[in-house]
Structure formats: structure tokens, C-alpha cells
Amino acid sequence: EADIYQTPRYLVIGTGKKITLECSQTMGHDKMYWYQQDPGMELHLIHYSYGVNSTEKGDLSSESTVSRIRTEHFPLTLESARPSHTSQYLCASRKGQYNEQFFGPGTRLTVL
Amino acid sequence: GQQLNQSPQSMFIQEGEDVSMNCTSSSIFNTWLWYKQEPGEGPVLLIALYKAGELTSNGRLTAQFGITRKDSFLNISASIPSDVGIYFCAGQLPGTYKYIFGTGTRLKVLA
């Protein structure tokens, strides 16, 4: 059983607002990931982290940024939200030598 | 870039029937993961496969890592209504920490 948490679960905001999506895991996993998923569609990697102070952009271009100051915490920030950012954002983590990746419940973002 | 082709795209089956779905790619992967996702939730890991030819079961679910390392399949036996959801495969690219996801198989079970 994986313990990975995302807040908020749902967010509706106006265009131009700055938002931060929170992701935390209590398993001590060093690798963490952010995916973007439109309803019922495949997942696209937007950011990942090997460990503290180590982040990389994924395959899908994203205007978001991430930080990894603590092992357990991997927040994603949008400086100025736009309607094109409307999507579900999923956070995941895995332990270094194991290949199993576990997901949080997701944040459904709607930008008006 | 790498792509994972997952089929079928959707399935409507009767309760009690067996289900089979697969993922294929032109790329080699060193791990295959199979997930189930329900509406409004994150994907839940069902089965992980680590080496070519490996066959692994989890209850009524059975998955295999293809010999060529470019494909994998998932079988669900004696389906029940709670099997409804979207099933995704994911392959880990060798030498990286990145996963590529399939396009999903939408399963609906008719009671």
C-alpha cells in the first residue's frame, strides 16, 4: 500500500492566478514524478526528480515548475494559469532500486 | 518519441467472461507495469513485471512480459462488475527513470 497524498483534490480558478499543487509521500521514496492526464487519456510525464535538489523536465512541454527541497515533498507551481492548463495532474513516486511506481489520487484543475 | 500501442481501445463484456489486452512498442523496456484507473482517481498498480518471459498473477489477473521485451499482455479471468475501469500499461525505458504509458483499455462489464 502506497502513502502518497495530493492536495487539493479539486481546484477551480480564474485565468492569471498563481497556483501550487501539493504532493507528499511518507515512504522515503527518492524518485518522484508529475504527470498530466486529460480525462480517460494516456498519462504524459511533465516533471521528475531523482532526489533532493534534482529535477528534470519530462517529455510533455509544460509551463509549470517544480521544486524538491525535501525528500517527501514535490510541489508543482503554475505562475499564471490559463484555460489550456485544465487537466488532471497526477503525482507518483518510487524507491530507488525498485521499479514499482505508485500514484496519488490526483488534482483535477479547471481554469476558467 | 517512444510510443506504446495498447489494444483494444475499449471492451464491453458479459460478467464471467475472460478479458485480454496487450501493449506493443518498437522500443525495448526493462519493466512493465499494469494499472487500473477509476474515474476521478489515480492509477492503482496491479502487476509489475521485471524480466523477459516472466508470467505473474495477482488473483484473477495474469500478466506476461514479452520475450522480445517490446510487448506485454494482461488477462482478467471471470470478470465481475467491479473490474470496470481503464487499464493502462507502462514501460520503463532502459537506463532511465522514465515510464511511457499506453493509451488505455476501457473495460465495461455487463451484469
Side-chain angles (χ1 to χ4, degrees), chain B residues 23-63:
Chain B
C23 282
T24 60
S25 176
S26 58
S27 301
I28 288 174
F29 296 98
N30 62 1
T31 299
W32 283 96
L33 305 176
W34 282 93
Y35 290 91
K36 178 187 177 186
Q37 186 177 28
E38 297 186 27
E41 299 295 329
V44 174
L45 183 64
L46 300 173
I47 291 180
L49 301 160
Y50 297 105
K51 57 183 180 181
E54 179 182 353
L55 185 70
T56 297
S57 294
N58 177 8
R60 293 179 295 106
L61 279 61
T62 301

Side-chain angles (χ1 to χ4, degrees), chain B residues 82-108:
Chain B
S82 62
D83 289 334
V84 166
I86 304 178
Y87 291 80
F88 289 99
C89 62
Q92 184 186 1
L93 296 168
T96 79
Y97 299 115
K98 297 195 295 184
Y99 298 85
I100 305 297
F101 278 77
T103 48
T105 294
R106 289 141 193 81
L107 178 64
K108 295 200 174 179

Side-chain angles (χ1 to χ4, degrees), chain A residues 2 9-10 13 15 17 23-24 36 50 55 59 63-65 72 74 77 82 84 87 93-94 103 105 107 109-110:
Chain A
R9 291 294 313 276
Y10 304 92
I13 60 168
T15 297
K17 299 290 186 184
C23 176
S24 295
Q36 186 173 340
Y50 299 110
T55 61
D59 299 322
E63 294 163 342
S64 57
T65 59
E72 62 271 20
F74 190 40
T77 298
R82 297 207 302 269
S84 61
S87 190
S93 73
R94 56 169 273 203
F103 281 87
T107 294
L109 173 65
T110 301

